[in-house]
Amino acid sequence: MRALRILLIVVVVLAGVFIAVDRAAVYFAESEAADRVVVSGARTGSTDVSIKGFPFLTQVAGSELDEVDVKVTGIEATAGGRVLRISSMEAELHQVRLTDGFSGATATRASGTAVISYQDLTKAADGVVVEYGGNGKVKVTGTVTGIPVVGAVTRSVLSTVTLVDGHTVRVHADKVPGEGIPGLEKLVREKIDFEREVGKLPNGLKLEKIQPTAAGLEISVTGTDVRLAG
């Protein structure tokens, strides 16, 4: 019995040591991975990486991690001569294969959400202010010049936001002042309606759908064979 107790104590101590080493390895790997996540052709603010699953060391030995959660803030990339900033992007990456002597990593599949704040969307627009309009709409406020007799007017309209060709955000007013009047509707829409291409995302991720919320434009992203680094 005494020998059995000693054996159990040794097992518990070794298990504790293994867990401590395993967690320390995770912390180090997360820090290293955060520095290596690449958004091609874009400038990013910060990156946080969280490696899931236990034990970590056996996953590394098999060169594949069960799940890695990544959050990137402040993705800025130029598309079509304009900068549209993605405020933040969070993604869950599954079956992350470690390659090139652990210097590279590719996720078999991924899903997540990117957010464009209304402040950043306003900066990317031409002289209009974009806000949340409620019920899945945005409110666009702008000053339209060149209107006959009146000259210039400031108007706010509710607009629908859609994703075009999987990479372009389109803001289109449901109704505008002067709708149906030849020339006037076109003049107003040239100011109120606009499209902006979303900048670079990590290779392999694609945009699926977009939804205005109080926090900003939320864009669902999915992907396969998402390359993170290397």
Side-chain angles (χ1 to χ4, degrees):
M1 289 297 295
R2 185 171 181 273
L4 180 59
R5 285 197 299 271
I6 293 174
L7 177 61
L8 289 175
I9 291 172
V10 170
V11 169
V12 170
V13 170
L14 290 177
V17 170
F18 175 77
I19 292 173
V21 171
D22 191 80
R23 294 302 89 190
V26 168
Y27 179 81
F28 176 77
E30 289 173 342
S31 178
E32 287 292 306
D35 293 334
R36 295 187 183 184
V37 172
V38 176
V39 181
S40 179
R43 184 178 68 179
T44 62
S46 64
T47 302
D48 291 320
V49 174
S50 178
I51 299 173
K52 306 297 183 180
F54 178 83
F56 167 70
L57 293 175
T58 57
Q59 295 181 66
V60 172
S63 297
E64 183 173 295
L65 306 179
D66 296 337
E67 179 183 336
V68 178
D69 294 347
V70 176
K71 180 177 181 179
V72 184
T73 60
I75 302 173
E76 295 185 1
T78 301
R82 298 178 181 274
V83 175
L84 178 58
R85 183 177 184 270
I86 299 175
S87 308
S88 65
M89 184 194 68
E90 298 185 24
E92 292 182 0
L93 312 169
H94 298 273
Q95 293 177 277
V96 180
R97 301 185 301 276
L98 305 175
T99 59
D100 303 325
F102 303 128
S103 64
T106 301
T108 301
R109 56 187 176 87
S111 62
T113 302
V115 177
I116 300 174
S117 72
Y118 295 117
Q119 181 181 8
D120 286 327
L121 188 59
T122 295
K123 289 180 180 179
D126 287 327
V128 297
V129 176
V130 186
E131 304 169 284
Y132 183 55
N135 297 319
K137 304 283 185 179
V138 297
K139 183 174 75 171
V140 181
T141 303
T143 300
V144 182
T145 60
I147 298 178
V149 182
V150 177
V153 295
T154 299
R155 289 287 185 270
S156 293
V157 299
L158 288 178
S159 299
T160 298
V161 181
T162 54
L163 194 60
V164 182
D165 297 329
H167 57 72
T168 301
V169 175
R170 173 181 289 170
V171 179
H172 186 80
D174 296 347
K175 293 183 65 176
V176 299
E179 193 169 59
I181 300 176
L184 184 54
E185 180 179 354
K186 181 176 182 294
L187 185 66
V188 175
R189 285 196 178 277
E190 284 178 348
K191 185 66 177 182
I192 299 298
D193 294 346
F194 63 95
E195 295 183 358
R196 295 293 179 267
E197 187 175 350
V198 178
K200 299 284 186 179
L201 293 176
N203 292 334
L205 282 180
K206 62 180 181 179
L207 310 179
E208 288 290 339
K209 64 179 181 179
I210 191 167
Q211 176 66 36
T213 69
L217 300 182
E218 291 190 357
I219 307 174
S220 298
V221 297
T222 61
T224 55
D225 294 326
V226 180
R227 192 169 181 81
L228 300 177

